[in-house]
Structures are given as C-alpha cells and as structure tokens.
Amino acid sequence: MESGAAAAGGLGGARFPFPYTPYLIQERFMAALYGALEAGRVGIFESPTGTGKSLSLICGALSWLRDFEEKKRREEARLLAPAESGQEAKKPLTPAGPAPPGSRDTAGEPDWVTAFVQKKEERDMVDRLKEEQIRRKKREDRLEKIRHNVQLKYAAKRKRSEEDETKHLLQLSKEVLSEGAGVDVLEQLDHNEEELILAEYESDEEKKVVSGLEEDDDDLEEEHVTKIYYCSRTHSQLSQFVREVQKSPFGKDTRLVSLGSRQNLCVNEEVRRLGALSLINDRCMEMQKNKHEKKSDGESEGKKRRASRTVCPFYSYEQMQFLRDEVLVEVKDIEQLVALGRETKACPYYGSRYAIPAAQLVVLPYQMLLHEPTRSAAGIKLKDQVVIIDEAHNLIDTITCIHSVEVSGSQLCCAHSQLLQYMERYRKRLKAKNLMYIKQILYLLERFVAMLGGNVNQNPSCQAVSQTGTVLKSINDFLFQSQIDNINLFKVQRYCEKSLISRKLFGFVERYGGPATAVKTNKENQKLGGLQNFLLTLQQGSDKEGAPQIPAMEAANDQLQTASPLMQIEGFLSALTNANQDGRVILSRQGTVGQSSLKFLLLNPAVHFAKVVEECRAVIIAGGTMQPVADFREQLLSCAGVDPARVVEFSCGHVIPPENILPIILCSGPSNQQLEFTYQTRDLPQMMDETGRILCNLCNVVPGGVVCFFPSYEYEKQVYAHWEKTGLLTRLATKKKIFQEPKKANQVEQVLVEYAKCIKRCSQAGGQMTGALLLSVVGGKMSEGINFSDDLGRCVIMVGMPYPNIKSPELQEKMTWLDKTMPRAAGQAPSRVLIENLCMKAVNQSIGRAIRHQKDFASILLLDHRYARPAIFNKLPQWIRERTQVKPAFGSAFAELRKFHRGKADAL
C-alpha cells in the first residue's frame, strides 16, 4: 500500500486534476485511494464531512481509471503491432524455459502440441483484442457523432413524433372497427381475464434452453469495460455526487450512468400513480411481458387472440438505445435522466441499464449493489471492477436489513385466502404442475399461520393468541417444527420467480377483491364473495359493527398493503434458503394472529458481502465517521474471508484549525450531580433537572443554534414534559425558541426551515432572544444527512450514551451469535464490543453534524462521565478526540465554553 501511495503522490499534485488547489489531506486521500485501487485492496477510508470527501473520491478514482485505460491501450497496441506486421506476438503466455527436443511437458503432452496450443491461445487473444477494438471504435464514433451533430437529435425526435402519430391513427381505426364487431368469448372468460391465468410452467431441469434477448444486437452484447461502481444510501446523496462529478475536471469526458428504482425513474404516469414500489414493479413487469407475448401471439396462429393487453409506450428498444447514447455523451443526474426520458419518450429505468456496459462510472443506491438478485437483474457485473461504498458507517446494518424479512399473520391468511380463491376459479384451466406448486404454497402458508398459533381459514383479526411473546428459532428448527422440511424451498422460490404468480394474483384481486366491483353471480363467483368480505374485514381490522367506515384514503392504503401479500412472503421463503447458522426466525406472537408475525433475521452479513469482495478488483468503504473500524474488519471482512493483508485503512484529520472546535466531556452538573444517564438513573427528577440547568446556562453564552440530542424519542418527550411542569421550559424559552424533532419524516423539512428562520431573525434583530434550541434524537432524521453548519449549530449536546435496547430479542440473538463465532478482543466479549460500537457510531454521526467547512466553529458537549473511560474515549473520531477536554466539574467547563464563544464573537 505504501509503495502505491508513494508512487501516486510522487508525481506531485499534477497527478490528480482538481477544480481548485486541494487541501493537503485531500492530496493524501487521493494518493492512498489510487494506491489501494492499483494494488487491488479493500480499503476503509475515513474523511470527516466538510473535508471535500466526494471530490477526493471522484478525482482520485477517475485519475486511476484514466491511467489504467491508458496502460491497457498501450499493452493492446504492443500485442497487436507484431500481429499486424505479420509476425507472431512476442509475449509468451506461459513462462517456459527452453525444452530439449522431443521432451514432454508436465501434462504429458509432446512439446510441439504445447507450442501449437500456445500459438493458438496467442492468436485467439489477438483476435479478441481486435474485436474489442472494433467495438470500442464503433461506440466512440457513435457517441462522437451524437455529441457534435444536433441534426441527428432532431431527426430522431421527428421520427418519434411521426411514429406516435401513426400509432394514434391506427388506434382510432381499430376502435371504429371494433364498435361493430361482436365480442369474443373465451370459455366463458372475459378476454381481460385471460392474462390472469398462469402459463404452463416448465420447471428447473426440464427447461435447459434460455431464450436470448428480444433483439439480437451487437450493442447489447457489449463488453463491460473496467468501471467504478459508486453507491450511497439515498437518491439525494447520489444526485449530490453526480453534481460534484459535473463540476470536476472529469465532468466533460466521463461516461457516467445513474441507476435508480422504478419509483424514481418511471415516466409512465399511469404506472407512477400506483404509488407503492412493489405495485409499480409489478405493473411494469406485466407490461413488458405483454409486449413480448404480443409478438409471439401474433406469430402463432392457432392461439386465440388475447385482447386489450396494455404495453408501455416508453419501452421501445430504439428509443431506449437513443436514451442510452445520450446518457453516455453527457453526465446527467436522476432528475435530468427522467426529464430526458419524458422528452425522448424512452424509459429511463431500462435505458440507463443499457448504458452500464460502456459506462466508466455507475452511480447507484446501496440495495442495487448489495442485494445479489437485484444486482443481476440490473445487469451489473462485478468481476474485476471497482466498488466504492460511500456513507458506509451503517454498512453492516444496511446489509442485515436488506436481507431480513417480516410477514404478519394477516398477510399470511390473506395470501392463503386469495390463492385458494384463485385456484378454485381457474382449476380447470391450470396445468398439473401449476396446481402442484400452488398446493405446496397453500400448505406452507397454512403451516406458517399454525406456527403463530392460528388457523388459516379463520379471520386473523378475530383469533386471539394463547401464548404471547417472542421465540427465536434456527432455520432448521423452524422448518422441522412447522413440518415443511420435506418441501424443496429452492424449487418453490424458483417457481414463484418464473411463473410470476404474485403478479397474477395481484391482477386477480384487483379484478375481484375491490369492494365496489360488481361480480357476476354464478357458482364460481359466489366463492369470490368470501374474498371480498375477507379483504373488507382486513381493512376494517377488528372494528365492531356500526363503527364508522374507514376514510377512502386510508382504505386505499390498506388495500395497497394487502393487495399482493404473496410478494412479501416470497421474500420470506427466499430468506429461509440461507444457511442454518447465518440466520434466525423470530416468531412474535401478539394479541391476535393478525398482529403476530414471522421475521427472518440475518446474523451474518458477511455471507452476502463475500461475493462482492471476491469478484471485485478493489472495494473501498468510505465515510465521514467510520470509527470504530473494528466492526468492519471483524464482522464484515474477516468473516467474508478477506486476507487481513489485503485490507488497508486511511483516516485523515479535519481541515478546520484546532481552535475552531471545543469538545468537552462533562462529568457533573451545576449542582454537582454526577452525570450518568443509565436506564436506572436517567428517569430520576434530579437528573432531568440537572440537564435543564446545564442547557439554561449554555443558552446564555452560546449564540445562534443549539442542537441537543437525546437517546430516544420517548426520553426526549419525558424530559420535555418534566421541564414543562417545573417551569424550566419557560426559562429556556426566554433565550432560545424551542423546536422538537418530529417523528414523521415528512414534517422534518418544515421544522428545519422554521428553526433556520428563527436563528436568522434573532441574529439580525439582536435583543434578548439569541437563537433557537432544537431537541433531537440520536438515530432520528436530524442525526444523519442534515447539516447544522455555521449559526445552525454552534453547540451540539449529547445527553447520555445512546446504547441500543439490550432487551430486544434480535440484538440478544446477534450478541449470542457474535460470542460464539468471534474471538475476544482485548479481554472484552464480542457482544460487549458490539454494544459499545453501536452506541459510539451513533454518537459520532450526531456530533459530526456541526462542523461542515473550513471556517466553521462549534462546541461539543458530551453529558456523561462514562465518555471519559479509555475504551469509550478511544472510539471518538481522531480529530475530535485530539482536542477533547475532560471536565470533572461544571464551573471550569462553563468558563471554557464562555471564553470560546466570546472569542469567536469578537473575531467575527
């Protein structure tokens, strides 16, 4: 690693093009990053927020990619040169010494055979390189043409509008013709209903041949060039990153593609209106299937026509190819991509996927990269590529969450009822194999409900659970006890995937499940009446008769949740195919069967991360606060089988001068009450009073905004109520206007706007009111991704230590698992280390909110004497730790704070 970093840094700053003169720590960061990519390492990189981490990542990684491509081109030219001049390529593929004539090599082959094979391999390699070169040239020419030829864009646009007009006229003609025609009746089924029937299922071993792509096009088979996959947590973080790329020196000539979910990228208004992601996914897949089937239906004559199938007008291969090229020519973020999709009438979701092979930088959300089925569906190939995971402080939790699934009793009963009605209705039309699998799924659902202590044929909301509580089981125990160990879950899972049964079921429920749908009365449909009533009882829960009707909006939301519960259950079935030791099933039995649930909990996230690390050339895990790093090394990397020698760590300080930050660990309050906020002591009135007194004193000397973090919403509410009762709140409100973090995500923005306005008003008006106090929660919306820069956060206070709830069964199971599988670290049990690390990661995230740029300044106050313990203290970020003062008494701490803020006020 050192040698790589030195080599990168040895060429001076010119090595890394940068939009301005980089800070020294940015140069070091880029050099270390370049070295890690060159040597194929797994890097853990920490660079505090406000130090220009995104730009360092962009310029460091793209500089490496540029050099790598250049090296590859030179190597290609060297290999192709002799071939073109008629000589053989000089490069020996196997390091072989001269062999005596007639000798045989180790495999027992005569040496002339070996020589022949070697020659052939060399010739094949040269041919492959030539092919690759032709392809690359073709792509570059095409993109160059688009870049410089505006005419081409207009021609494509005109062609599209002509096609639209033709389609429109054709549609009108069809409608005129169909008015006079009689309606085809297919075996007494409405033709729209035809598509609800499962196609004949060719399973597993029978179906060896996989059909190719719809259009055999060179471009789709394009080689994946070496690229960098950059992923972050949210779409807004990804958009921010893309804007940084646009501003960087690489903005003009980098082929970048942004990937996202259908929810973010779909431009078909009819589909977007469905709202829920699972429904959008479903409708999109259904429309595509219709498109493919339309082709084959048209070709096969014997089939009866399936009428009025909706296909997506944006899913046009030609238009998506055009969109793909536009994306590769100029860097675009998600919003620009959607606008382009609307303008070109092309699907951005699929169009962007077509751009992956040729892209140099692919920007995508966590889930797409870390979840293997999503990854392969998107056409992402990680072999020999580079992956950068940003904002990775929660990486372990993220992988755990992506692969953990929960299903409720009401979902299980609802799916069973729907599937049963479906089978009854179409029994005569379903092939034997379909019936066999449907019966297996029905049996699984029946057994799952029985495990929750219920009967699948009764209303889940009316069945009380006799033994309430939470039970944890290993996967194997759960399979045995629910008597489903004789069913091959892999085959059932594959059947669900291939037959699209949850989609068919959704269409069926959409048609018959709605309370307003008029249903024909024949024998079949009388059975369906039961499904309608069942869905209604689910929506109304266990409301008594005569209870008012649910408002339409809420009912619609409930309908969304119950529309296709089989999708969620498929996820649970898939989770049960994990290895026995890597997960647990949690049976949570609440008041009724409907409220009870089954949850799969992933204990070993490394099994899903291992594939990423194995396939990639290099993986970089980066974040603003990565401390404590031990978690990543032990739980993620060593469990995934990464050689410790391959792991490299890089951490840099902050760009702010030391005098701009004042971190203090406070051990006791103004009335000498020791500060220790344990579960036992934090509810004591004297602890809450002491916290209030500290805040009152601080608000007298700190200008602008003060952000105070509590360990939980419940505790924040409790303290607030106590202060209200004792009159302390009124005293606080004379100096600072008080704001509380809302629990609902959609209200956060509003509170922040008001908070910022209030601070601005106070700073301009002067007077007694000096700003605002924001009461926030660790792990809430305010503790991550929101910047309290400048006056918005002049002081950040952490009340107590936000340890996770140790009584949670999930956490207890994780602790037991860690103690069994991990070695003890420095005499501490791994479970104890986990608890401390979870606490300190949350603290570091929250206190890092205040300093956002080089000229910013803030004080940080940690209220609890336990922060001074070496094991805890050492888990603070280095740049904060180096400047932290431990104050046993409040007096000296207060004097220090007053001096700090007065000094800053004078300097301004």
Side-chain angles (χ1 to χ4, degrees):
M1 168 64 208
E2 268 64 41
S3 60
L11 288 151
R15 174 69 154 184
F16 302 110
F18 215 73
Y20 51 82
T21 307
Y23 302 130
L24 182 62
I25 58 172
Q26 285 179 313
E27 283 186 8
R28 284 191 194 134
F29 185 103
M30 291 187 285
L33 177 64
Y34 190 107
L37 298 182
E38 186 61 28
R41 301 294 186 90
V42 174
I44 303 171
F45 277 63
E46 181 181 53
S47 177
T49 316
T51 55
K53 170 170 56 83
S54 300
L55 261 178
S56 305
L57 280 170
I58 291 163
C59 298
L62 290 176
S63 294
W64 171 82
L65 187 63
R66 181 196 58 193
D67 292 355
F68 177 82
E69 286 173 351
E70 185 52 44
K71 238 182 290 178
K72 200 173 167 190
R73 266 197 289 273
R74 281 204 301 268
E75 182 66 8
E76 264 176 31
R78 197 178 67 76
L79 282 168
L80 290 173
E84 277 159 14
S85 61
Q87 307 160 24
E88 292 298 340
K90 293 278 185 290
K91 189 180 178 215
L93 281 178
T94 48
S103 72
R104 290 171 174 264
D105 72 359
T106 48
E109 299 282 8
D111 51 2
W112 64 269
V113 174
T114 312
F116 174 77
V117 169
Q118 197 170 317
K119 282 273 192 310
K120 187 175 182 328
E121 279 178 3
E122 283 175 11
R123 271 198 306 276
D124 288 351
M125 189 171 163
V126 167
D127 290 347
R128 203 166 56 245
L129 286 175
K130 275 184 184 162
E131 229 171 87
E132 221 173 274
Q133 231 180 22
I134 292 165
R135 248 195 217 131
R136 190 170 61 229
K137 186 89 181 73
K138 199 169 145 191
R139 183 185 64 228
E140 283 168 2
D141 290 349
R142 193 180 67 228
L143 296 182
E144 202 52 37
K145 212 189 255 174
I146 291 173
R147 198 174 273 125
H148 295 300
N149 193 343
V150 185
Q151 286 304 112
L152 204 69
K153 284 190 185 180
Y154 287 120
K157 249 190 196 170
R158 196 171 60 247
K159 188 164 181 267
R160 276 195 306 279
S161 53
E162 281 168 13
E163 280 170 5
D164 287 352
E165 189 57 29
T166 313
K167 267 185 201 160
H168 180 61
L169 291 171
L170 205 66
Q171 186 60 37
L172 286 175
S173 321
K174 277 182 186 167
E175 281 167 16
V176 171
L177 283 172
S178 63
E179 274 173 22
V183 179
D184 268 358
V185 179
L186 280 178
E187 296 174 40
Q188 282 73 54
L189 281 187
D190 178 331
H191 56 229
N192 276 347
E193 204 174 341
E194 192 72 26
E195 64 187 83
L196 298 178
I197 293 162
L198 288 157
E200 184 167 0
Y201 179 64
E202 294 179 83
S203 78
D204 336 329
E205 289 74 30
E206 297 166 19
K207 191 175 181 181
K208 291 290 182 208
V209 186
V210 181
S211 62
L213 279 149
E214 184 187 338
E215 279 90 351
D216 267 350
D217 191 286
D218 262 2
D219 297 332
L220 284 190
E221 295 304 316
E222 208 174 345
E223 282 291 307
H224 279 245
V225 303
T226 301
K227 62 176 81 342
I228 295 162
Y229 286 100
Y230 170 90
C231 57
S232 194
R233 237 160 32 99
T234 63
H235 279 290
S236 59
Q237 284 166 343
L238 293 172
S239 287
Q240 176 69 32
F241 179 81
V242 174
R243 283 194 288 277
E244 293 278 347
V245 174
Q246 287 167 333
K247 287 188 297 193
S248 81
F250 296 90
K252 288 277 178 284
D253 52 7
T254 297
R255 297 190 301 278
L256 178 147
V257 57
S258 296
L259 302 181
S261 65
R262 285 183 177 89
Q263 209 165 18
N264 291 92
L265 290 176
C266 178
V267 287
N268 184 333
E269 285 308 321
E270 189 191 315
V271 178
R272 282 175 71 88
R273 249 177 260 136
L274 292 168
L277 180 60
S278 56
L279 300 187
I280 291 175
N281 284 342
D282 261 31
R283 181 59 54 84
C284 175
M285 298 293 281
E286 195 66 66
M287 284 175 151
Q288 268 181 70
K289 198 161 178 284
N290 294 346
K291 184 182 174 79
H292 293 288
E293 277 177 5
K294 262 197 168 176
K295 294 204 160 197
S296 53
D297 280 2
E299 288 153 15
S300 62
E301 279 205 54
K303 284 191 179 177
K304 292 186 178 159
R305 192 171 66 86
R306 294 185 173 187
S308 73
R309 285 275 182 101
T310 328
V311 298
C312 182
F314 297 91
Y315 189 73
S316 143
Y317 179 67
E318 202 179 335
Q319 284 154 220
M320 289 191 295
Q321 261 192 313
F322 178 77
L323 182 96
R324 173 201 64 187
D325 291 345
E326 281 285 315
V327 164
L328 292 172
V329 162
E330 190 184 15
V331 172
K332 290 175 180 61
D333 65 17
I334 293 272
E335 287 72 28
Q336 293 165 320
L337 183 58
V338 169
L340 180 69
R342 288 205 174 99
E343 184 196 328
T344 57
K345 296 234 169 3
C347 173
Y349 180 74
Y350 285 102
S352 57
R353 289 175 176 212
Y354 285 143
I356 295 173
Q360 294 162 308
L361 181 56
V362 179
V363 176
L364 69 171
Y366 274 0
Q367 279 78 345
M368 262 183 155
L369 187 104
L370 298 171
H371 188 241
E372 199 185 350
T374 313
R375 195 163 68 227
S376 54
I380 292 166
K381 295 180 180 168
L382 294 182
K383 189 88 185 95
D384 297 330
Q385 307 293 19
V386 169
V387 164
I388 297 176
I389 302 171
D390 201 359
E391 300 299 332
H393 54 275
N394 281 338
L395 184 60
I396 295 172
D397 294 343
T398 304
I399 298 172
T400 305
C401 287
I402 290 172
H403 297 90
S404 298
V405 195
E406 186 166 18
V407 287
S408 68
S410 62
Q411 282 176 318
L412 292 165
C413 289
C414 178
H416 186 276
S417 171
Q418 290 177 5
L419 199 53
L420 196 59
Q421 310 280 0
Y422 177 88
M423 186 177 79
E424 291 297 331
R425 169 127 183 103
Y426 303 122
R427 187 184 282 276
K428 295 188 183 70
R429 303 285 305 265
L430 293 170
K431 299 283 186 287
K433 195 147 241 168
N434 277 317
L435 278 173
M436 177 192 85
Y437 277 113
I438 289 177
K439 284 180 175 164
Q440 282 193 351
I441 297 169
L442 286 167
Y443 175 70
L444 288 171
L445 295 170
E446 193 183 311
R447 295 311 309 154
F448 289 161
V449 175
M451 286 298 277
L452 292 173
N455 180 340
V456 80
N457 297 313
Q458 293 170 14
N459 187 333
S461 310
C462 304
Q463 296 181 65
V465 174
S466 50
Q467 295 171 303
T468 54
T470 303
V471 187
L472 280 108
K473 297 189 181 301
S474 71
I475 300 174
N476 287 352
D477 286 350
F478 176 76
L479 297 178
F480 283 123
Q481 285 170 28
S482 50
Q483 298 165 5
I484 58 170
D485 51 304
N486 57 338
I487 287 180
N488 184 333
L489 290 178
F490 287 95
K491 281 191 170 182
V492 174
Q493 186 198 346
R494 202 172 312 138
Y495 171 74
C496 291
E497 228 171 79
K498 295 274 183 280
S499 68
L500 305 179
I501 185 164
S502 61
R503 286 185 193 110
K504 303 286 183 189
L505 201 54
F506 172 57
F508 171 71
V509 174
E510 211 179 20
R511 192 176 172 78
Y512 289 118
T517 317
V519 180
K520 302 164 202 149
T521 52
N522 60 22
K523 265 193 181 161
E524 295 286 355
N525 286 328
Q526 281 163 11
K527 290 173 185 160
L528 287 166
L531 172 61
Q532 282 184 29
N533 295 335
F534 180 77
L535 281 172
L536 274 172
T537 54
L538 273 180
Q539 283 175 28
Q540 289 162 4
S542 47
D543 284 358
K544 298 164 192 66
E545 282 186 307
Q549 275 293 308
I550 305 179
M553 193 59 206
E554 278 176 51
N557 288 344
D558 278 9
Q559 184 75 30
L560 279 182
Q561 285 159 11
T562 57
S564 193
L566 194 59
M567 274 179 247
Q568 187 82 353
I569 293 158
E570 281 178 24
F572 182 68
L573 290 175
S574 163
L576 290 178
T577 59
N578 272 286
N580 184 48
Q581 69 275 17
D582 292 331
R584 296 286 179 272
V585 179
I586 302 171
L587 284 74
S588 169
R589 298 190 182 108
Q590 305 303 327
T592 65
V593 171
Q595 294 163 334
S596 303
S597 67
L598 295 173
K599 180 177 182 181
F600 173 80
L601 171 71
L602 179 72
L603 292 175
N604 182 9
V607 290
H608 295 285
F609 195 59
K611 201 147 197 184
V612 175
V613 182
E614 275 164 26
E615 289 190 350
C616 288
R617 174 200 172 92
V619 176
I620 304 295
I621 304 169
T625 44
M626 299 297 283
Q627 294 293 335
V629 171
D631 280 11
F632 296 104
R633 272 189 177 274
E634 284 148 28
Q635 284 184 52
L636 213 50
L637 303 178
S638 68
C639 279
V642 179
D643 177 358
R646 194 185 166 198
V647 182
V648 44
E649 276 178 44
F650 175 87
S651 178
C652 64
H654 211 295
V655 288
I656 59 159
E659 63 275 12
N660 276 20
I661 177 176
L662 176 66
I664 290 177
I665 293 171
L666 189 58
C667 302
S668 59
S671 61
N672 288 329
Q673 166 77 46
Q674 190 190 37
L675 300 176
E676 184 174 351
F677 293 84
T678 61
Y679 283 112
Q680 293 76 33
T681 60
R682 70 182 193 183
D683 299 341
L684 298 171
Q686 60 263 39
M687 285 304 282
M688 295 193 270
D689 289 340
E690 198 73 338
T691 311
R693 281 192 283 270
I694 293 169
L695 274 176
C696 272
N697 279 301
L698 285 181
C699 288
N700 283 329
V701 296
V702 177
V706 175
V707 185
C708 181
F709 285 103
F710 288 88
S712 67
Y713 282 102
E714 289 64 40
Y715 188 56
E716 187 266 331
K717 258 202 200 112
Q718 189 184 346
V719 172
Y720 189 87
H722 180 77
W723 289 348
E724 217 166 18
K725 205 168 67 192
T726 60
L728 200 139
L729 210 57
T730 322
R731 290 217 309 280
L732 267 175
T734 58
K735 281 288 176 191
K736 304 274 183 199
K737 186 169 182 196
I738 298 167
F739 293 87
Q740 285 175 284
E741 176 174 335
K743 234 178 174 176
K744 288 189 177 159
N746 58 0
Q747 297 167 359
V748 170
E749 193 57 41
Q750 187 56 39
V751 171
L752 281 171
V753 168
E754 292 299 320
Y755 171 73
K757 269 188 195 160
C758 173
I759 291 168
K760 196 172 179 189
R761 238 189 353 259
C762 294
S763 74
Q764 286 166 352
Q768 197 184 6
M769 184 81 87
T770 61
L773 167 65
L774 179 59
L775 306 178
S776 305
V777 176
V778 174
K781 298 286 171 294
M782 310 277 187
S783 68
E784 285 196 29
I786 287 171
N787 298 343
F788 294 109
S789 58
D790 302 319
D791 267 357
L792 295 183
R794 287 302 179 205
C795 179
V796 174
I797 300 160
M798 179 65 63
V799 177
M801 300 187 70
Y803 280 112
N805 177 10
I806 207 148
K807 293 196 174 73
S808 133
E810 281 108 323
L811 188 57
Q812 285 184 342
E813 195 59 32
K814 177 89 181 181
M815 288 162 70
T816 311
W817 180 81
L818 281 173
D819 285 342
K820 274 186 194 157
T821 53
M822 297 278 171
R824 288 175 74 86
Q828 269 191 310
S831 55
R832 178 76 209 148
V833 175
L834 170 78
I835 297 296
E836 275 180 10
N837 287 355
L838 286 172
C839 167
M840 290 311 290
K841 271 204 167 75
V843 169
N844 294 344
Q845 258 321 97
S846 302
I847 60 181
R849 301 287 100 212
I851 303 281
R852 311 310 284 180
H853 58 84
Q854 194 178 13
K855 294 191 170 63
D856 209 349
F857 66 89
S859 51
I860 295 168
L861 208 57
L862 304 174
L863 307 186
D864 202 306
H865 74 97
R866 293 173 295 171
Y867 281 111
R869 291 177 184 166
I872 302 288
F873 184 76
N874 288 332
K875 285 177 180 165
L876 285 167
Q878 189 184 344
W879 64 279
I880 292 180
R881 192 171 64 229
E882 285 168 349
R883 305 164 193 192
T884 302
Q885 304 179 23
V886 179
K887 298 285 186 186
F890 182 73
S892 61
F894 183 68
E896 203 68 50
L897 278 159
R898 189 170 49 199
K899 189 172 110 192
F900 175 80
H901 285 290
R902 280 205 178 143
K904 292 293 168 200
D906 295 344
L908 282 173

